[in-house]
Amino acid sequence: TVPLLVSAAAPAAGYTVALAPAAVSLQAGGTATSTLNLTRVGGFAGAVTVTTTGAPAGLTVTPATGSVTGNSVVLTVAATS
C-alpha cells in the first residue's frame, strides 16, 4: 500500500464568454439582439471591457465599447436600409 495525496490547483482568475443566440438574422433596416454572458472563474470579480469590431459595412453593433460589471450585456445589431 502506498499513500497517495491528490491536490488540485484553484483555477486561474478570469472569465469565459458566450453569446445567446450565437447567430442572428436580420433584414435591411432591421435590428436583432444577442446577449453576451460572462462566467467569472477563480474568484475574478473585476469589470470586463467589451469592444465590438469587424462588423461588415452596413451593420452596426451597440454598445461598441463598454465596461461590464455584471454577468451580461445585451448587444444590438442594426442593418442599414
Side-chain angles (χ1 to χ4, degrees):
T1 306
V2 177
L4 180 63
L5 175 62
V6 177
S7 62
Y15 55 90
T16 61
V17 296
L19 283 172
V24 295
S25 297
L26 60 154
Q27 297 178 354
T31 62
T33 61
S34 184
T35 301
L36 176 72
N37 294 300
L38 298 171
T39 301
R40 296 163 191 278
V41 295
F44 179 77
V48 176
T49 300
V50 174
T51 303
T52 57
T53 60
L59 290 180
T60 58
V61 181
T62 54
T65 301
S67 181
V68 181
T69 55
N71 294 323
S72 66
V73 63
V74 175
L75 303 174
T76 301
V77 181
T80 56
S81 44

